[in-house]
Amino acid sequence: MKLVNVGICGLGTVGSGTVNVIVRNHEEITARTGCDIRIAQIGARRNRQNCDLDGIPVTKDVFEVADNPDVHILVELIGGTSVAKELVERAIANGKHVVTANKALIAQHGNELFRKANEKGVSIGFEAAVAGGIPIIRTLREGLSANRIEWLAGIINGTGNFILTEMRDKGRAFEDVLKEAQALGYAEADPTFDVEGIDAAHKLVILAALAFGMPLQFDKVFTEGIRNISPVDVSYAGELGYRIKHLGIARKHDNGVELRVHPTLIPERRLIANVDGVSNAVVIKGDAVGPTLYYGPGAGSEPTASAVISDIMDISRTLNVDQDVRAPYLGTRFEQLKEFPILPIDDVKTSYYLRMSVVDKPGVLSKITQILSDAGISIEALIQKQPWQGETEVPVILLTNRVRESHMNEAIQQIEQLDSIHHKVVKIRVESLS
Ligand code: HSE
């Protein structure tokens, strides 16, 4: 039986899960690959208590693993983009295959790393980089590869979804839920990546590159986080029959591709609107298959290890296979990747949820509706609350039809200039996902 030696770098949440599952499921992994997959070396600055290393040699220097001639597959689980990039480059230069869970590394440096790997004839597996345990990379690259993908939309940051769910269900404060997500090991080392949408943007560019056969373009994603979502918006959205989810959306048009990450109102009857907690879900619309939904744990030790090990197994099976018959890194052969323009957010068309606080006096609402109607924006739903005793302002909540973002922003500017509006208008995009 073919022996495959794996070198694991990083022994944090995902690294320790990977060691545990490889050891525990050795029999199944062997039966399914026909290879004896062994952990030959671990590179980590410190050992985890919850991981039995049972005689596996550990070095504090991860580059020793990249230089170890016995290692066939280097697994990069240290995170970040500096040491991790150097490590992956060293492994590729040494002719090793690489598996990584590092979405930032792939999103920002994938184009360059895939080229280097291609030149050396080695694979880079990154199933664990997006949506944790959900096999979404393989779904796009292989399962749906007969389709033209029209659009995809996903809840691809578990921490953000956990925060929004706890705010809605238990009325908990933002910071309090974030601390819990950190303690559970879901949040990034720098949690602003989760709450500002950067982590979701990393994942979205990877999905979009695979979906549309284009190079990774992280710097072009429009990104808005969840920090400004307030509990009242979650509650008004509910009254209107919607849930607020933080979505990554990629949509192909004749003139380019939309790439955007932002809080979004989704009709509560959609399955994806009911994906709660740390779970992730991605809807992919293919021209042949129609809309499909993938759901599961988007983070965590063993769910992410499950994806990491699936890549190790896949590479093990193809160790002796010619590079030309392996699935290409981004699903499409290098020479056929297309540089689609990324559409500016101003040109994107969606519906909008608007919340404004207006002075309670006659004629205010008609001025607001006049501005919207002059801009060709129609109102699909409206809530106006009675003023609380002693209050002079009342909340007005509107849902609009689909309009171009730049038109919406111009109308909002005019509304904010009215005497009876003293605060900024809250704007959240709405998607029907149909
Ligand atoms: N911080 C990420 C999340 C981890 O919460 O989804 C998985 O990529």
Side-chain angles (χ1 to χ4, degrees):
M1 187 175 304
K2 186 169 177 55
L3 174 70
V4 179
N5 282 324
V6 173
I8 295 180
C9 297
L11 213 46
T13 306
V14 182
S16 51
T18 301
V19 173
N20 286 338
V21 177
I22 288 183
V23 172
R24 188 174 74 229
N25 293 351
H26 184 257
E27 192 183 325
E28 288 82 357
I29 290 170
T30 307
R32 289 168 189 161
T33 54
C35 299
D36 181 9
I37 297 175
R38 299 266 162 192
I39 303 171
Q41 192 176 25
I42 288 176
R45 270 173 301 176
R46 63 195 170 89
N47 291 359
R48 280 272 169 142
Q49 298 301 317
N50 57 355
C51 169
D52 182 5
L53 299 180
D54 194 23
I56 304 168
V58 182
T59 168
K60 286 197 178 350
D61 177 8
V62 286
F63 290 93
E64 253 186 51
V65 183
D67 291 337
N68 182 341
D70 293 335
V71 167
H72 304 111
I73 304 174
L74 180 133
V75 182
E76 183 279 305
L77 300 173
I78 60 178
T81 50
S82 50
V83 178
K85 178 165 181 269
E86 242 183 275
L87 179 70
V88 167
E89 284 172 341
R90 178 92 73 97
I92 292 170
N94 287 337
K96 298 188 193 310
H97 301 276
V98 171
V99 171
T100 178
N102 192 331
K103 51 260 163 148
L105 181 71
I106 297 296
Q108 293 178 33
H109 303 290
N111 296 327
E112 184 190 338
L113 294 174
F114 293 144
R115 285 218 172 268
K116 288 186 172 157
N118 199 47
E119 277 158 27
K120 287 297 263 185
V122 296
S123 299
I124 300 182
F126 51 99
E127 182 63 75
V130 184
I134 308 172
I136 200 71
I137 303 297
R138 212 158 268 122
T139 294
L140 276 168
R141 191 159 57 186
E142 297 173 43
L144 298 183
S145 58
N147 287 261
R148 286 187 180 161
I149 305 298
E150 296 171 4
W151 57 266
L152 61 86
I155 298 170
I156 43 182
N157 181 267
T159 301
N161 202 42
F162 181 58
I163 293 172
L164 288 175
T165 305
E166 292 287 301
M167 276 169 71
R168 188 194 69 218
D169 290 353
K170 302 184 189 149
R172 290 178 64 190
F174 188 101
E175 293 299 337
D176 174 39
V177 191
L178 176 58
K179 279 203 188 96
E180 191 183 336
Q182 286 176 288
L184 291 169
Y186 299 142
E188 295 302 295
D190 175 355
T192 56
F193 275 44
D194 296 296
V195 297
E196 304 300 345
I198 300 161
D199 177 73
H202 284 145
K203 295 165 178 167
L204 182 69
V205 281
I206 298 173
L207 293 181
L210 283 157
F212 306 131
M214 62 188 202
L216 300 144
Q217 300 181 67
F218 171 67
D219 52 338
K220 307 249 175 76
V221 188
F222 171 82
T223 307
E224 225 178 67
I226 55 168
R227 207 178 268 287
N228 295 329
I229 296 297
S230 89
V232 293
D233 293 314
V234 175
S235 153
Y236 289 136
E239 274 187 50
L240 290 160
Y242 288 82
R243 296 267 168 93
I244 300 183
K245 293 290 175 192
H246 194 229
L247 288 191
I249 300 171
R251 194 185 295 268
K252 180 127 184 304
H253 298 274
D254 291 343
N255 59 339
V257 168
E258 286 175 27
L259 277 184
R260 48 194 170 101
V261 167
H262 52 71
T264 314
L265 268 75
I266 320 173
E268 67 190 1
R269 63 182 181 279
R270 297 260 174 268
L271 284 173
I272 191 171
N274 295 283
V275 170
D276 286 335
V278 75
S279 298
N280 280 195
V282 183
V283 183
I284 303 177
K285 170 92 190 305
D287 69 333
V289 70
T292 55
L293 171 71
Y294 308 86
Y295 161 80
S301 178
E302 292 204 359
T304 313
S306 158
V308 167
I309 298 165
S310 76
D311 275 340
I312 296 173
M313 292 170 70
D314 204 31
I315 292 172
S316 300
R317 284 189 201 100
T318 60
L319 274 181
N320 298 326
V321 169
D322 195 314
Q323 191 179 5
D324 285 346
V325 298
R326 294 183 213 148
Y329 306 97
L330 291 177
T332 302
R333 312 235 151 251
F334 268 127
E335 56 286 2
Q336 272 145 13
L337 289 174
K338 293 198 178 98
E339 299 265 0
F340 297 111
I342 306 302
L343 301 174
I345 191 72
D346 269 354
D347 292 352
V348 165
K349 272 178 135 183
T350 68
S351 306
Y352 293 88
Y353 161 102
L354 304 178
R355 176 170 58 84
M356 50 199 90
S357 187
V358 307
V359 175
D360 184 30
K361 61 179 187 194
V364 179
L365 208 51
S366 77
K367 284 188 185 147
I368 295 168
T369 53
Q370 190 61 51
I371 292 174
L372 292 173
S373 118
D374 288 349
I377 299 169
S378 106
I379 297 169
E380 306 281 306
L382 185 147
I383 302 177
Q384 183 186 348
K385 297 284 180 187
Q386 276 188 321
W388 282 100
Q389 231 174 2
E391 299 254 325
T392 53
E393 292 186 20
V394 290
V396 171
I397 296 98
L398 302 170
L399 280 189
T400 74
N401 65 334
R402 269 164 56 82
V403 287
R404 191 179 283 271
E405 174 105 0
S406 57
H407 293 171
M408 190 74 248
N409 288 343
E410 283 159 21
I412 288 175
Q413 258 185 8
Q414 288 180 42
I415 292 172
E416 285 174 343
Q417 278 161 14
L418 293 173
D419 289 343
S420 41
I421 304 277
H422 298 162
H423 305 281
K424 287 201 84 59
V425 173
V426 172
K427 174 189 85 184
I428 308 177
R429 297 169 190 87
V430 182
E431 290 285 341
S432 65
L433 298 186
S434 54

